[in-house]
Amino acid sequence: MAAAPEPVVREAVLQAVVQAPPPPELPPFPTNEMPLTDIVLPGLAPEGDTLERICADIGDCTRCRLSQGRNKIVFGVGDPNTKLVFVGEGPGADEDAQGIPFVGRAGQLLTQMIEGTSAKEGIPLKRADVYICNVVKCRPPENRTPEADEMQICGQFLFRQLSAIKPKAICALGSTAAKALLGGKDGVTKLRGKWHKWNDIPLMVTYHPSYLLRPYNQEAKRESWEDLKKTLHFVYD
Ligand code: SF4
Ligand code: URA
């Protein structure tokens, strides 16, 4: 993964969110045509917000430059009433082609980890029982790390998804998700394995599955497994 984006993302989004008055009715959402400077983000959790509404607000989004190279917007998949949400970085080639998050090699590993760990721990959980999404909904060119402004713009949709679902816990996969949700500069090695919070929702940070696919990261694989075990027991015990 490339250089870390500046930790302005969460602060900037939250600041804008705090400044926005809670809407009595859902306000018109910023449109594709609005210059960025005119965009006032709606409240973090507008009353009555739903995944359908968020998806409709995204529409055929061109709010950031990632729209230029994408094929499909990858909104998110899973149970909207779930207790557990996984957040990755952004779509790769397979996800961009199918419009579904984590369906490529890293996605297959994530699915195996969720289903394998829960089976071992006696928790009946399938991939379809959780919700899976990304910080940015469009594939960054050459799979580069999303830039700070892209994370800030698209992050509003992630924040709304999390606020609409209100899971019991969130699992951030990798440094980009951790930075988008926690702010700060710390990477996974520092943050992983411990509970943090995103707006009062407990948040676990662990390695991104694509990192675990590299053959020399076997120790990280074991650690991820521990992190996931801890998360699953907290959520489902
Ligand atoms: Fe819109 Fe997000 Fe795609 Fe950017 S990454 S164009 S903000 S949906
Ligand atoms: N990596 C991610 O961060 N997200 C995906 O959806 C696929 C790969």
Side-chain angles (χ1 to χ4, degrees), residues 165-187:
I165 296 171
K166 291 192 195 68
K168 185 166 175 188
I170 300 166
C171 183
L173 302 166
S175 291
T176 300
K179 280 173 188 142
L181 293 167
L182 295 174
K185 286 190 173 164
D186 291 339

Side-chain angles (χ1 to χ4, degrees), residues 2-237:
E6 288 303 305
V8 296
V9 180
R10 182 169 183 270
E11 280 75 8
V13 174
L14 279 181
Q15 213 172 28
V17 161
V18 167
Q19 283 160 5
E25 291 198 17
L26 289 181
F29 203 74
T31 61
N32 290 338
E33 290 72 34
M34 277 165 92
L36 280 181
T37 44
D38 289 354
I39 290 182
V40 178
L41 297 179
L44 181 58
E47 192 99 9
D49 207 13
T50 62
L51 293 178
E52 289 76 16
R53 163 81 201 211
I54 301 161
C55 196
D57 283 338
I58 291 185
D60 191 17
C61 188
T62 55
R63 292 172 182 85
C64 87
R65 67 182 78 77
L66 294 181
S67 63
Q68 293 163 15
R70 71 149 185 260
N71 288 300
K72 287 191 176 163
I73 294 179
V74 180
F75 179 69
V77 72
D79 180 356
N81 300 310
T82 188
K83 292 180 179 171
L84 180 57
V85 176
F86 289 86
V87 180
E89 176 173 312
D94 296 300
E95 292 77 19
D96 175 65
Q98 295 184 44
I100 305 167
F102 284 101
V103 289
R105 268 187 84 212
Q108 284 162 27
L109 177 58
L110 177 64
T111 306
Q112 268 175 30
M113 287 174 67
I114 294 170
E115 301 196 348
T117 311
S118 51
K120 262 199 193 129
E121 297 301 305
I123 301 165
L125 188 75
K126 294 287 174 202
R127 171 184 160 118
D129 300 323
V130 301
Y131 192 85
I132 302 174
C133 59
N134 285 302
V135 175
V136 294
K137 311 302 188 211
C138 301
R139 182 192 182 194
E142 338 257 312
N143 299 336
R144 66 158 168 76
T145 306
E147 287 172 13
D149 60 336
E150 296 157 357
M151 288 166 66
Q152 186 185 331
I153 299 165
C154 209
Q156 61 186 303
F157 300 119
L158 171 65
F159 285 14
R160 284 177 65 194
Q161 284 173 301
L162 295 172
S163 302
I165 296 171
K166 291 192 195 68
K168 185 166 175 188
I170 300 166
C171 183
L173 302 166
S175 291
T176 300
K179 280 173 188 142
L181 293 167
L182 295 174
K185 286 190 173 164
D186 291 339
V188 181
T189 11
K190 189 94 178 272
L191 298 170
R192 65 149 287 273
K194 293 183 278 256
W195 286 109
H196 306 268
K197 275 204 167 164
W198 178 83
N199 285 306
D200 289 334
I201 301 176
L203 181 142
M204 176 65 66
V205 176
T206 196
Y207 296 101
H208 192 288
S210 57
Y211 177 78
L212 304 176
L213 285 171
R214 302 173 205 170
Y216 42 87
N217 291 334
Q218 289 312 300
E219 173 63 10
K221 218 167 173 174
R222 194 193 55 75
E223 288 174 330
S224 278
W225 190 72
E226 291 299 329
D227 300 342
L228 194 52
K229 226 165 70 172
K230 201 185 272 188
T231 308
L232 292 173
H233 281 297
F234 170 76
V235 174
Y236 293 101
D237 278 357

